[in-house]
Amino acid sequence: MFSSVWNFVKRHKRKFIFTGVVVGGVYFLGKYAQKKLREIQEKEATEYIAQARRQFHFESNQRTCNMTVLSMLPPLREAIVNQLNSESLTALLKTKPANKVEIWEDLKIISFTRTIVAVYSTCMLVVLLRVQLNIIGGYLYLDNSVGKNGTTALAPPDVQQQYLSSIQHLLGDGLTELMMVVKKAVQSSLGGVSLKQSLSLLEVEQQLSWIRAEVEAGSERPLSWYMLADDENALADQACGLTGNDLMTIKLLNETRDMLDSPDFTTVLSTCLDRGFSRLLDNLAEFFRPPPGDSQLSAVSVSLPLAKIIPIINGQINTICSETPSHFVQDLLLNDKVKEFAANVYETFSMPQELQK
């Protein structure tokens, strides 16, 4: 019996060897496939966790942006009111001075100027802080990511403080320069309009459009100039004593300038300004309502003497620069283009350097 079995094996030796190789190959191939599948699954899980972590960090950063904007609005309002103080003129008018008309003319220019400056500077503040805090946010994400292994921080606390303090330019010299440009445009547009002349809401809108055109197209400087000082030159003057943190701050400022000079930034700021002036007109429309019971008139056909519009426009700064979330500020903070732009900035600066190459 054994000899017959042996003869059978010898006759089919090649088949047995081939079958063994195939079975063994399939076994090891299966093991290899399982290993690779595990590696792919682990990599996908790691990437998913990292993406979820980054998304959570981004959303948290946007809430910080919103709170920072709201906290900066009172000092912005104070800075505008201090330089364009209409309250002193209003108090003076109550004393019935001899030069009453002259004071009213000054009040006209200052009231329109400070409200228009409030719209511009609030929009600038919203978009500039979105850029700055998402650049910092991106670097902080990288600093806190697994794998940094003690390497030099991209955004240490001292650098963050030095970099974010550059916002003071918008509340200081930049704001002063903006006021001068806007005041000149207001004087050009409204200077010759009599206090007794009646204006409809549509005519007020036309005046605002003319002023915007002169500010945005007639100025030698881009709007971004009012937002960020050339601090690099100030630091470079001390070149021999520059610290590592100073160099990091200069890098952040240069990256911010690049963002402010980009077409995307210009588009987002323009969108915010359009929305801001539209919301201002919505607020003014409340005062152009026809008398109760007069069904023949609409808000479009109602006109008010300029002298009555002045106190209305003068008070708008309290709504525009309100620390409590007003419709004006919410329109800007929740704008889809602002959100998308913020996401793109964060995405750019939270990406590891090796993946950007």
Side-chain angles (χ1 to χ4, degrees), residues 46-47 49-55 57-58 136-155 346 349-355:
T46 302
E47 288 175 352
I49 292 169
Q51 185 61 34
R53 226 175 123 256
R54 188 156 62 153
Q55 182 65 26
H57 187 260
F58 168 73
I136 286 289
Y139 281 143
L140 283 176
Y141 172 79
L142 291 177
D143 284 342
N144 295 326
S145 293
V146 177
K148 283 295 289 182
N149 295 327
T151 56
T152 304
L154 296 167
Y346 184 86
F349 291 93
S350 64
M351 188 75 69
Q353 293 295 318
E354 59 270 18
L355 295 181

PDB file of all heavy atoms in Angstrom, residues 46-47 49-55 57-58 136-155 346 349-355:
ATOM      1  N   THR A  46      -5.815  58.417  12.225  1.00  0.00           N
ATOM      2  CA  THR A  46      -4.935  59.493  12.714  1.00  0.00           C
ATOM      3  C   THR A  46      -5.246  60.799  12.001  1.00  0.00           C
ATOM      4  O   THR A  46      -5.334  61.861  12.629  1.00  0.00           O
ATOM      5  CB  THR A  46      -3.451  59.117  12.490  1.00  0.00           C
ATOM      6  OG1 THR A  46      -3.176  57.890  13.168  1.00  0.00           O
ATOM      7  CG2 THR A  46      -2.539  60.204  13.010  1.00  0.00           C
ATOM      8  N   GLU A  47      -5.422  60.710  10.672  1.00  0.00           N
ATOM      9  CA  GLU A  47      -5.735  61.911   9.886  1.00  0.00           C
ATOM     10  C   GLU A  47      -7.096  62.477  10.274  1.00  0.00           C
ATOM     11  O   GLU A  47      -7.264  63.700  10.354  1.00  0.00           O
ATOM     12  CB  GLU A  47      -5.705  61.586   8.390  1.00  0.00           C
ATOM     13  CG  GLU A  47      -4.296  61.347   7.848  1.00  0.00           C
ATOM     14  CD  GLU A  47      -4.308  60.898   6.391  1.00  0.00           C
ATOM     15  OE1 GLU A  47      -5.416  60.639   5.857  1.00  0.00           O
ATOM     16  OE2 GLU A  47      -3.216  60.814   5.800  1.00  0.00           O
ATOM     17  N   ILE A  49      -8.615  62.173  13.201  1.00  0.00           N
ATOM     18  CA  ILE A  49      -8.487  62.781  14.537  1.00  0.00           C
ATOM     19  C   ILE A  49      -7.791  64.140  14.437  1.00  0.00           C
ATOM     20  O   ILE A  49      -8.211  65.124  15.056  1.00  0.00           O
ATOM     21  CB  ILE A  49      -7.718  61.844  15.488  1.00  0.00           C
ATOM     22  CG1 ILE A  49      -8.571  60.589  15.790  1.00  0.00           C
ATOM     23  CG2 ILE A  49      -7.354  62.558  16.785  1.00  0.00           C
ATOM     24  CD1 ILE A  49      -7.820  59.484  16.504  1.00  0.00           C
ATOM     25  N   ALA A  50      -6.725  64.202  13.611  1.00  0.00           N
ATOM     26  CA  ALA A  50      -5.992  65.458  13.436  1.00  0.00           C
ATOM     27  C   ALA A  50      -6.890  66.523  12.800  1.00  0.00           C
ATOM     28  O   ALA A  50      -6.890  67.687  13.212  1.00  0.00           O
ATOM     29  CB  ALA A  50      -4.752  65.232  12.572  1.00  0.00           C
ATOM     30  N   GLN A  51      -7.682  66.105  11.796  1.00  0.00           N
ATOM     31  CA  GLN A  51      -8.589  67.038  11.124  1.00  0.00           C
ATOM     32  C   GLN A  51      -9.669  67.529  12.081  1.00  0.00           C
ATOM     33  O   GLN A  51     -10.008  68.717  12.091  1.00  0.00           O
ATOM     34  CB  GLN A  51      -9.227  66.352   9.912  1.00  0.00           C
ATOM     35  CG  GLN A  51     -10.106  67.255   9.052  1.00  0.00           C
ATOM     36  CD  GLN A  51      -9.346  68.413   8.453  1.00  0.00           C
ATOM     37  OE1 GLN A  51      -8.177  68.272   8.115  1.00  0.00           O
ATOM     38  NE2 GLN A  51      -9.990  69.564   8.344  1.00  0.00           N
ATOM     39  N   ALA A  52     -10.207  66.602  12.889  1.00  0.00           N
ATOM     40  CA  ALA A  52     -11.233  66.984  13.864  1.00  0.00           C
ATOM     41  C   ALA A  52     -10.655  67.935  14.907  1.00  0.00           C
ATOM     42  O   ALA A  52     -11.305  68.907  15.310  1.00  0.00           O
ATOM     43  CB  ALA A  52     -11.787  65.728  14.552  1.00  0.00           C
ATOM     44  N   ARG A  53      -9.402  67.655  15.304  1.00  0.00           N
ATOM     45  CA  ARG A  53      -8.720  68.509  16.266  1.00  0.00           C
ATOM     46  C   ARG A  53      -8.519  69.914  15.700  1.00  0.00           C
ATOM     47  O   ARG A  53      -8.740  70.922  16.355  1.00  0.00           O
ATOM     48  CB  ARG A  53      -7.344  67.899  16.597  1.00  0.00           C
ATOM     49  CG  ARG A  53      -7.047  67.877  18.089  1.00  0.00           C
ATOM     50  CD  ARG A  53      -5.730  67.164  18.376  1.00  0.00           C
ATOM     51  NE  ARG A  53      -4.856  68.056  19.093  1.00  0.00           N
ATOM     52  CZ  ARG A  53      -3.834  68.688  18.559  1.00  0.00           C
ATOM     53  NH1 ARG A  53      -3.553  68.536  17.294  1.00  0.00           N
ATOM     54  NH2 ARG A  53      -3.097  69.479  19.285  1.00  0.00           N
ATOM     55  N   ARG A  54      -8.092  69.947  14.443  1.00  0.00           N
ATOM     56  CA  ARG A  54      -7.843  71.236  13.806  1.00  0.00           C
ATOM     57  C   ARG A  54      -9.141  72.004  13.605  1.00  0.00           C
ATOM     58  O   ARG A  54      -9.197  73.218  13.799  1.00  0.00           O
ATOM     59  CB  ARG A  54      -7.139  71.029  12.457  1.00  0.00           C
ATOM     60  CG  ARG A  54      -6.695  72.331  11.845  1.00  0.00           C
ATOM     61  CD  ARG A  54      -5.563  72.177  10.874  1.00  0.00           C
ATOM     62  NE  ARG A  54      -5.896  71.361   9.734  1.00  0.00           N
ATOM     63  CZ  ARG A  54      -5.318  71.485   8.534  1.00  0.00           C
ATOM     64  NH1 ARG A  54      -4.393  72.400   8.359  1.00  0.00           N
ATOM     65  NH2 ARG A  54      -5.653  70.713   7.542  1.00  0.00           N
ATOM     66  N   GLN A  55     -10.225  71.295  13.244  1.00  0.00           N
ATOM     67  CA  GLN A  55     -11.530  71.940  13.062  1.00  0.00           C
ATOM     68  C   GLN A  55     -12.035  72.519  14.381  1.00  0.00           C
ATOM     69  O   GLN A  55     -12.551  73.641  14.422  1.00  0.00           O
ATOM     70  CB  GLN A  55     -12.539  70.924  12.508  1.00  0.00           C
ATOM     71  CG  GLN A  55     -13.930  71.505  12.239  1.00  0.00           C
ATOM     72  CD  GLN A  55     -13.935  72.553  11.153  1.00  0.00           C
ATOM     73  OE1 GLN A  55     -13.079  72.538  10.274  1.00  0.00           O
ATOM     74  NE2 GLN A  55     -14.877  73.487  11.216  1.00  0.00           N
ATOM     75  N   HIS A  57     -10.181  73.422  16.924  1.00  0.00           N
ATOM     76  CA  HIS A  57      -9.312  74.556  17.262  1.00  0.00           C
ATOM     77  C   HIS A  57      -9.702  75.781  16.438  1.00  0.00           C
ATOM     78  O   HIS A  57      -9.724  76.911  16.946  1.00  0.00           O
ATOM     79  CB  HIS A  57      -7.847  74.178  17.020  1.00  0.00           C
ATOM     80  CG  HIS A  57      -6.878  75.218  17.506  1.00  0.00           C
ATOM     81  ND1 HIS A  57      -6.294  76.127  16.651  1.00  0.00           N
ATOM     82  CD2 HIS A  57      -6.404  75.493  18.746  1.00  0.00           C
ATOM     83  CE1 HIS A  57      -5.490  76.914  17.348  1.00  0.00           C
ATOM     84  NE2 HIS A  57      -5.540  76.557  18.609  1.00  0.00           N
ATOM     85  N   PHE A  58     -10.006  75.577  15.156  1.00  0.00           N
ATOM     86  CA  PHE A  58     -10.406  76.686  14.277  1.00  0.00           C
ATOM     87  C   PHE A  58     -11.698  77.332  14.780  1.00  0.00           C
ATOM     88  O   PHE A  58     -11.792  78.559  14.876  1.00  0.00           O
ATOM     89  CB  PHE A  58     -10.598  76.174  12.843  1.00  0.00           C
ATOM     90  CG  PHE A  58     -11.270  77.170  11.932  1.00  0.00           C
ATOM     91  CD1 PHE A  58     -10.583  78.287  11.473  1.00  0.00           C
ATOM     92  CD2 PHE A  58     -12.597  76.991  11.543  1.00  0.00           C
ATOM     93  CE1 PHE A  58     -11.206  79.213  10.645  1.00  0.00           C
ATOM     94  CE2 PHE A  58     -13.216  77.911  10.713  1.00  0.00           C
ATOM     95  CZ  PHE A  58     -12.522  79.022  10.262  1.00  0.00           C
ATOM     96  N   ILE A 136      -2.082  83.728  13.889  1.00  0.00           N
ATOM     97  CA  ILE A 136      -1.616  83.267  15.212  1.00  0.00           C
ATOM     98  C   ILE A 136      -2.226  81.912  15.542  1.00  0.00           C
ATOM     99  O   ILE A 136      -1.551  81.002  16.033  1.00  0.00           O
ATOM    100  CB  ILE A 136      -1.998  84.294  16.304  1.00  0.00           C
ATOM    101  CG1 ILE A 136      -1.094  85.532  16.221  1.00  0.00           C
ATOM    102  CG2 ILE A 136      -1.901  83.685  17.694  1.00  0.00           C
ATOM    103  CD1 ILE A 136       0.334  85.291  16.658  1.00  0.00           C
ATOM    104  N   GLY A 137      -3.526  81.761  15.271  1.00  0.00           N
ATOM    105  CA  GLY A 137      -4.212  80.497  15.563  1.00  0.00           C
ATOM    106  C   GLY A 137      -3.590  79.331  14.820  1.00  0.00           C
ATOM    107  O   GLY A 137      -3.430  78.238  15.374  1.00  0.00           O
ATOM    108  N   GLY A 138      -3.243  79.543  13.543  1.00  0.00           N
ATOM    109  CA  GLY A 138      -2.604  78.493  12.760  1.00  0.00           C
ATOM    110  C   GLY A 138      -1.266  78.078  13.339  1.00  0.00           C
ATOM    111  O   GLY A 138      -0.963  76.886  13.463  1.00  0.00           O
ATOM    112  N   TYR A 139      -0.474  79.070  13.724  1.00  0.00           N
ATOM    113  CA  TYR A 139       0.837  78.771  14.309  1.00  0.00           C
ATOM    114  C   TYR A 139       0.702  78.104  15.687  1.00  0.00           C
ATOM    115  O   TYR A 139       1.489  77.220  16.033  1.00  0.00           O
ATOM    116  CB  TYR A 139       1.670  80.045  14.419  1.00  0.00           C
ATOM    117  CG  TYR A 139       2.303  80.464  13.106  1.00  0.00           C
ATOM    118  CD1 TYR A 139       2.414  81.802  12.756  1.00  0.00           C
ATOM    119  CD2 TYR A 139       2.787  79.522  12.207  1.00  0.00           C
ATOM    120  CE1 TYR A 139       2.993  82.189  11.551  1.00  0.00           C
ATOM    121  CE2 TYR A 139       3.360  79.895  11.012  1.00  0.00           C
ATOM    122  CZ  TYR A 139       3.472  81.227  10.686  1.00  0.00           C
ATOM    123  OH  TYR A 139       4.053  81.593   9.501  1.00  0.00           O
ATOM    124  N   LEU A 140      -0.288  78.529  16.455  1.00  0.00           N
ATOM    125  CA  LEU A 140      -0.504  77.902  17.770  1.00  0.00           C
ATOM    126  C   LEU A 140      -0.913  76.442  17.614  1.00  0.00           C
ATOM    127  O   LEU A 140      -0.506  75.585  18.414  1.00  0.00           O
ATOM    128  CB  LEU A 140      -1.576  78.663  18.554  1.00  0.00           C
ATOM    129  CG  LEU A 140      -1.143  79.977  19.196  1.00  0.00           C
ATOM    130  CD1 LEU A 140      -2.326  80.669  19.857  1.00  0.00           C
ATOM    131  CD2 LEU A 140      -0.040  79.739  20.227  1.00  0.00           C
ATOM    132  N   TYR A 141      -1.701  76.163  16.581  1.00  0.00           N
ATOM    133  CA  TYR A 141      -2.092  74.776  16.325  1.00  0.00           C
ATOM    134  C   TYR A 141      -0.848  73.927  16.049  1.00  0.00           C
ATOM    135  O   TYR A 141      -0.702  72.820  16.578  1.00  0.00           O
ATOM    136  CB  TYR A 141      -3.045  74.696  15.145  1.00  0.00           C
ATOM    137  CG  TYR A 141      -3.341  73.274  14.721  1.00  0.00           C
ATOM    138  CD1 TYR A 141      -4.248  72.488  15.426  1.00  0.00           C
ATOM    139  CD2 TYR A 141      -2.670  72.696  13.639  1.00  0.00           C
ATOM    140  CE1 TYR A 141      -4.501  71.175  15.061  1.00  0.00           C
ATOM    141  CE2 TYR A 141      -2.913  71.383  13.260  1.00  0.00           C
ATOM    142  CZ  TYR A 141      -3.825  70.624  13.971  1.00  0.00           C
ATOM    143  OH  TYR A 141      -4.061  69.319  13.619  1.00  0.00           O
ATOM    144  N   LEU A 142       0.058  74.458  15.227  1.00  0.00           N
ATOM    145  CA  LEU A 142       1.296  73.723  14.926  1.00  0.00           C
ATOM    146  C   LEU A 142       2.162  73.577  16.172  1.00  0.00           C
ATOM    147  O   LEU A 142       2.758  72.525  16.400  1.00  0.00           O
ATOM    148  CB  LEU A 142       2.082  74.456  13.828  1.00  0.00           C
ATOM    149  CG  LEU A 142       1.459  74.446  12.424  1.00  0.00           C
ATOM    150  CD1 LEU A 142       2.309  75.257  11.466  1.00  0.00           C
ATOM    151  CD2 LEU A 142       1.280  73.022  11.902  1.00  0.00           C
ATOM    152  N   ASP A 143       2.220  74.649  16.988  1.00  0.00           N
ATOM    153  CA  ASP A 143       3.021  74.594  18.214  1.00  0.00           C
ATOM    154  C   ASP A 143       2.503  73.534  19.176  1.00  0.00           C
ATOM    155  O   ASP A 143       3.278  72.905  19.908  1.00  0.00           O
ATOM    156  CB  ASP A 143       3.018  75.964  18.922  1.00  0.00           C
ATOM    157  CG  ASP A 143       3.925  76.973  18.229  1.00  0.00           C
ATOM    158  OD1 ASP A 143       4.797  76.549  17.447  1.00  0.00           O
ATOM    159  OD2 ASP A 143       3.749  78.187  18.463  1.00  0.00           O
ATOM    160  N   ASN A 144       1.193  73.335  19.182  1.00  0.00           N
ATOM    161  CA  ASN A 144       0.582  72.378  20.111  1.00  0.00           C
ATOM    162  C   ASN A 144       0.383  70.993  19.514  1.00  0.00           C
ATOM    163  O   ASN A 144      -0.097  70.084  20.187  1.00  0.00           O
ATOM    164  CB  ASN A 144      -0.777  72.915  20.591  1.00  0.00           C
ATOM    165  CG  ASN A 144      -0.629  74.185  21.402  1.00  0.00           C
ATOM    166  OD1 ASN A 144       0.345  74.349  22.121  1.00  0.00           O
ATOM    167  ND2 ASN A 144      -1.583  75.097  21.270  1.00  0.00           N
ATOM    168  N   SER A 145       0.750  70.837  18.237  1.00  0.00           N
ATOM    169  CA  SER A 145       0.545  69.553  17.587  1.00  0.00           C
ATOM    170  C   SER A 145       1.533  68.517  18.090  1.00  0.00           C
ATOM    171  O   SER A 145       2.661  68.833  18.470  1.00  0.00           O
ATOM    172  CB  SER A 145       0.715  69.685  16.068  1.00  0.00           C
ATOM    173  OG  SER A 145      -0.315  70.463  15.531  1.00  0.00           O
ATOM    174  N   VAL A 146       1.082  67.259  18.064  1.00  0.00           N
ATOM    175  CA  VAL A 146       1.967  66.154  18.416  1.00  0.00           C
ATOM    176  C   VAL A 146       3.070  66.085  17.365  1.00  0.00           C
ATOM    177  O   VAL A 146       2.811  66.140  16.166  1.00  0.00           O
ATOM    178  CB  VAL A 146       1.192  64.822  18.454  1.00  0.00           C
ATOM    179  CG1 VAL A 146       2.134  63.671  18.757  1.00  0.00           C
ATOM    180  CG2 VAL A 146       0.078  64.891  19.483  1.00  0.00           C
ATOM    181  N   GLY A 147       4.283  65.982  17.815  1.00  0.00           N
ATOM    182  CA  GLY A 147       5.384  65.864  16.866  1.00  0.00           C
ATOM    183  C   GLY A 147       6.282  67.080  16.836  1.00  0.00           C
ATOM    184  O   GLY A 147       7.286  67.087  16.140  1.00  0.00           O
ATOM    185  N   LYS A 148       5.920  68.159  17.579  1.00  0.00           N
ATOM    186  CA  LYS A 148       6.804  69.315  17.627  1.00  0.00           C
ATOM    187  C   LYS A 148       8.105  68.986  18.356  1.00  0.00           C
ATOM    188  O   LYS A 148       9.161  69.519  18.049  1.00  0.00           O
ATOM    189  CB  LYS A 148       6.103  70.487  18.338  1.00  0.00           C
ATOM    190  CG  LYS A 148       5.088  71.214  17.490  1.00  0.00           C
ATOM    191  CD  LYS A 148       5.714  71.918  16.312  1.00  0.00           C
ATOM    192  CE  LYS A 148       6.524  73.131  16.759  1.00  0.00           C
ATOM    193  NZ  LYS A 148       7.105  73.844  15.610  1.00  0.00           N
ATOM    194  N   ASN A 149       7.985  68.102  19.358  1.00  0.00           N
ATOM    195  CA  ASN A 149       9.167  67.578  20.076  1.00  0.00           C
ATOM    196  C   ASN A 149      10.116  68.673  20.557  1.00  0.00           C
ATOM    197  O   ASN A 149      11.329  68.625  20.380  1.00  0.00           O
ATOM    198  CB  ASN A 149       9.947  66.604  19.176  1.00  0.00           C
ATOM    199  CG  ASN A 149       9.128  65.366  18.855  1.00  0.00           C
ATOM    200  OD1 ASN A 149       8.327  64.924  19.682  1.00  0.00           O
ATOM    201  ND2 ASN A 149       9.316  64.806  17.666  1.00  0.00           N
ATOM    202  N   GLY A 150       9.550  69.711  21.146  1.00  0.00           N
ATOM    203  CA  GLY A 150      10.375  70.712  21.803  1.00  0.00           C
ATOM    204  C   GLY A 150      11.091  71.669  20.875  1.00  0.00           C
ATOM    205  O   GLY A 150      11.987  72.389  21.299  1.00  0.00           O
ATOM    206  N   THR A 151      10.741  71.685  19.577  1.00  0.00           N
ATOM    207  CA  THR A 151      11.385  72.628  18.668  1.00  0.00           C
ATOM    208  C   THR A 151      10.910  74.042  18.984  1.00  0.00           C
ATOM    209  O   THR A 151       9.930  74.235  19.694  1.00  0.00           O
ATOM    210  CB  THR A 151      11.056  72.290  17.200  1.00  0.00           C
ATOM    211  OG1 THR A 151       9.639  72.267  17.048  1.00  0.00           O
ATOM    212  CG2 THR A 151      11.644  70.953  16.795  1.00  0.00           C
ATOM    213  N   THR A 152      11.607  75.045  18.453  1.00  0.00           N
ATOM    214  CA  THR A 152      11.296  76.445  18.744  1.00  0.00           C
ATOM    215  C   THR A 152       9.853  76.772  18.384  1.00  0.00           C
ATOM    216  O   THR A 152       9.397  76.462  17.282  1.00  0.00           O
ATOM    217  CB  THR A 152      12.235  77.378  17.958  1.00  0.00           C
ATOM    218  OG1 THR A 152      13.579  77.035  18.269  1.00  0.00           O
ATOM    219  CG2 THR A 152      11.986  78.829  18.318  1.00  0.00           C
ATOM    220  N   ALA A 153       9.156  77.413  19.316  1.00  0.00           N
ATOM    221  CA  ALA A 153       7.749  77.772  19.086  1.00  0.00           C
ATOM    222  C   ALA A 153       7.644  78.795  17.958  1.00  0.00           C
ATOM    223  O   ALA A 153       8.468  79.702  17.848  1.00  0.00           O
ATOM    224  CB  ALA A 153       7.145  78.332  20.367  1.00  0.00           C
ATOM    225  N   LEU A 154       6.629  78.635  17.129  1.00  0.00           N
ATOM    226  CA  LEU A 154       6.410  79.571  16.024  1.00  0.00           C
ATOM    227  C   LEU A 154       5.775  80.870  16.508  1.00  0.00           C
ATOM    228  O   LEU A 154       5.973  81.921  15.904  1.00  0.00           O
ATOM    229  CB  LEU A 154       5.507  78.919  14.967  1.00  0.00           C
ATOM    230  CG  LEU A 154       6.082  77.683  14.263  1.00  0.00           C
ATOM    231  CD1 LEU A 154       4.990  76.958  13.485  1.00  0.00           C
ATOM    232  CD2 LEU A 154       7.212  78.087  13.333  1.00  0.00           C
ATOM    233  N   ALA A 155       4.994  80.774  17.598  1.00  0.00           N
ATOM    234  CA  ALA A 155       4.309  81.965  18.121  1.00  0.00           C
ATOM    235  C   ALA A 155       4.331  81.956  19.646  1.00  0.00           C
ATOM    236  O   ALA A 155       3.301  81.734  20.291  1.00  0.00           O
ATOM    237  CB  ALA A 155       2.878  82.019  17.606  1.00  0.00           C
ATOM    238  N   TYR A 346      -6.508  80.445   8.130  1.00  0.00           N
ATOM    239  CA  TYR A 346      -6.156  79.444   9.136  1.00  0.00           C
ATOM    240  C   TYR A 346      -5.562  78.195   8.486  1.00  0.00           C
ATOM    241  O   TYR A 346      -4.572  77.642   8.966  1.00  0.00           O
ATOM    242  CB  TYR A 346      -7.396  79.079   9.954  1.00  0.00           C
ATOM    243  CG  TYR A 346      -7.117  78.113  11.087  1.00  0.00           C
ATOM    244  CD1 TYR A 346      -6.698  78.572  12.326  1.00  0.00           C
ATOM    245  CD2 TYR A 346      -7.256  76.734  10.909  1.00  0.00           C
ATOM    246  CE1 TYR A 346      -6.438  77.697  13.366  1.00  0.00           C
ATOM    247  CE2 TYR A 346      -6.991  75.851  11.935  1.00  0.00           C
ATOM    248  CZ  TYR A 346      -6.585  76.337  13.166  1.00  0.00           C
ATOM    249  OH  TYR A 346      -6.307  75.460  14.177  1.00  0.00           O
ATOM    250  N   PHE A 349      -1.897  78.745   7.479  1.00  0.00           N
ATOM    251  CA  PHE A 349      -0.896  78.867   8.532  1.00  0.00           C
ATOM    252  C   PHE A 349      -0.926  77.725   9.547  1.00  0.00           C
ATOM    253  O   PHE A 349      -0.069  77.665  10.428  1.00  0.00           O
ATOM    254  CB  PHE A 349      -1.037  80.224   9.238  1.00  0.00           C
ATOM    255  CG  PHE A 349      -0.635  81.372   8.362  1.00  0.00           C
ATOM    256  CD1 PHE A 349      -1.575  82.054   7.603  1.00  0.00           C
ATOM    257  CD2 PHE A 349       0.695  81.740   8.240  1.00  0.00           C
ATOM    258  CE1 PHE A 349      -1.204  83.092   6.765  1.00  0.00           C
ATOM    259  CE2 PHE A 349       1.088  82.779   7.408  1.00  0.00           C
ATOM    260  CZ  PHE A 349       0.139  83.460   6.664  1.00  0.00           C
ATOM    261  N   SER A 350      -1.872  76.810   9.426  1.00  0.00           N
ATOM    262  CA  SER A 350      -1.881  75.636  10.303  1.00  0.00           C
ATOM    263  C   SER A 350      -1.355  74.400   9.591  1.00  0.00           C
ATOM    264  O   SER A 350      -1.349  73.308  10.144  1.00  0.00           O
ATOM    265  CB  SER A 350      -3.302  75.361  10.828  1.00  0.00           C
ATOM    266  OG  SER A 350      -4.175  75.024   9.756  1.00  0.00           O
ATOM    267  N   MET A 351      -0.906  74.590   8.359  1.00  0.00           N
ATOM    268  CA  MET A 351      -0.372  73.473   7.571  1.00  0.00           C
ATOM    269  C   MET A 351       1.109  73.313   7.858  1.00  0.00           C
ATOM    270  O   MET A 351       1.865  74.280   7.777  1.00  0.00           O
ATOM    271  CB  MET A 351      -0.568  73.754   6.072  1.00  0.00           C
ATOM    272  CG  MET A 351      -0.227  72.571   5.175  1.00  0.00           C
ATOM    273  SD  MET A 351      -1.509  71.319   5.235  1.00  0.00           S
ATOM    274  CE  MET A 351      -2.845  72.149   4.407  1.00  0.00           C
ATOM    275  N   PRO A 352       1.562  72.118   8.231  1.00  0.00           N
ATOM    276  CA  PRO A 352       3.002  71.909   8.468  1.00  0.00           C
ATOM    277  C   PRO A 352       3.812  72.336   7.254  1.00  0.00           C
ATOM    278  O   PRO A 352       3.385  72.171   6.112  1.00  0.00           O
ATOM    279  CB  PRO A 352       3.102  70.389   8.687  1.00  0.00           C
ATOM    280  CG  PRO A 352       1.745  69.985   9.179  1.00  0.00           C
ATOM    281  CD  PRO A 352       0.776  70.897   8.470  1.00  0.00           C
ATOM    282  N   GLN A 353       5.000  72.919   7.519  1.00  0.00           N
ATOM    283  CA  GLN A 353       5.829  73.484   6.447  1.00  0.00           C
ATOM    284  C   GLN A 353       6.146  72.473   5.349  1.00  0.00           C
ATOM    285  O   GLN A 353       6.134  72.801   4.177  1.00  0.00           O
ATOM    286  CB  GLN A 353       7.147  74.017   7.045  1.00  0.00           C
ATOM    287  CG  GLN A 353       6.970  75.222   7.952  1.00  0.00           C
ATOM    288  CD  GLN A 353       6.452  76.432   7.212  1.00  0.00           C
ATOM    289  OE1 GLN A 353       6.891  76.727   6.102  1.00  0.00           O
ATOM    290  NE2 GLN A 353       5.490  77.129   7.789  1.00  0.00           N
ATOM    291  N   GLU A 354       6.403  71.223   5.734  1.00  0.00           N
ATOM    292  CA  GLU A 354       6.790  70.230   4.738  1.00  0.00           C
ATOM    293  C   GLU A 354       5.656  69.929   3.759  1.00  0.00           C
ATOM    294  O   GLU A 354       5.876  69.512   2.636  1.00  0.00           O
ATOM    295  CB  GLU A 354       7.256  68.925   5.393  1.00  0.00           C
ATOM    296  CG  GLU A 354       6.234  68.250   6.296  1.00  0.00           C
ATOM    297  CD  GLU A 354       6.340  68.711   7.738  1.00  0.00           C
ATOM    298  OE1 GLU A 354       6.956  69.773   7.964  1.00  0.00           O
ATOM    299  OE2 GLU A 354       5.820  68.020   8.640  1.00  0.00           O
ATOM    300  N   LEU A 355       4.389  70.147   4.207  1.00  0.00           N
ATOM    301  CA  LEU A 355       3.244  69.893   3.327  1.00  0.00           C
ATOM    302  C   LEU A 355       2.962  71.073   2.414  1.00  0.00           C
ATOM    303  O   LEU A 355       2.244  70.956   1.444  1.00  0.00           O
ATOM    304  CB  LEU A 355       1.994  69.577   4.152  1.00  0.00           C
ATOM    305  CG  LEU A 355       2.042  68.291   4.970  1.00  0.00           C
ATOM    306  CD1 LEU A 355       0.731  68.102   5.710  1.00  0.00           C
ATOM    307  CD2 LEU A 355       2.321  67.084   4.085  1.00  0.00           C
TER     308      LEU A 355
END
